[in-house]
Amino acid sequence: MAKKSKKKKLPLAYQPFGFVLGWVGGSLAGLAFKKTWMALRHEEDAPDALDRDRGWGEILLAAAVQGAIFAVVRSAVDRTGAKAIERTTGTWPSPEKSGRS
């Protein structure tokens, strides 16, 4: 009878690495959003939900663009980190088919 190979778990080893990647990803997403907003609206500051002088359309556009950029950057950084852990240790850092917590 063949032994089933158990998958190693890396939750504690991956946590500090994941934290750093998350911080770097957030910084990259913020920079990307600022550059994108500058290209779209030719303004340095994007509107905030509490900006009295900004309209709904402008506020919702800024939120949608920021959310899309953040999601793409976060996914790219998470995937890159997971692939690096797998290459280094031979183990994927999270259980199979797990979603984001």
Side-chain angles (χ1 to χ4, degrees):
M1 188 183 317
K3 271 187 166 180
K4 288 185 179 180
S5 63
K6 289 189 178 182
K7 210 169 176 158
K8 296 181 218 167
K9 292 186 179 181
L10 290 176
L12 291 177
Y14 184 69
Q15 282 180 353
F17 186 64
F19 175 76
V20 170
L21 282 177
W23 185 79
V24 169
S27 296
L28 288 173
L31 287 172
F33 174 66
K34 281 186 178 196
K35 290 193 178 280
T36 302
W37 190 256
M38 182 66 144
L40 288 174
R41 302 291 294 188
H42 307 291
E43 298 173 353
E44 288 189 28
D45 294 326
D48 185 71
L50 299 178
D51 284 347
R52 182 181 291 234
D53 300 330
R54 307 285 187 120
W56 276 96
E58 192 175 15
I59 289 170
L60 295 179
L61 173 65
V65 170
Q66 186 176 29
I69 289 172
F70 180 79
V72 168
V73 171
R74 182 175 176 185
S75 293
V77 169
D78 283 353
R79 183 65 179 197
T80 300
K83 292 296 259 180
I85 290 290
E86 182 182 42
R87 269 193 312 273
T88 305
T89 66
T91 304
W92 193 254
S94 66
E96 292 291 322
K97 297 183 181 177
S98 68
R100 190 178 307 279
S101 57

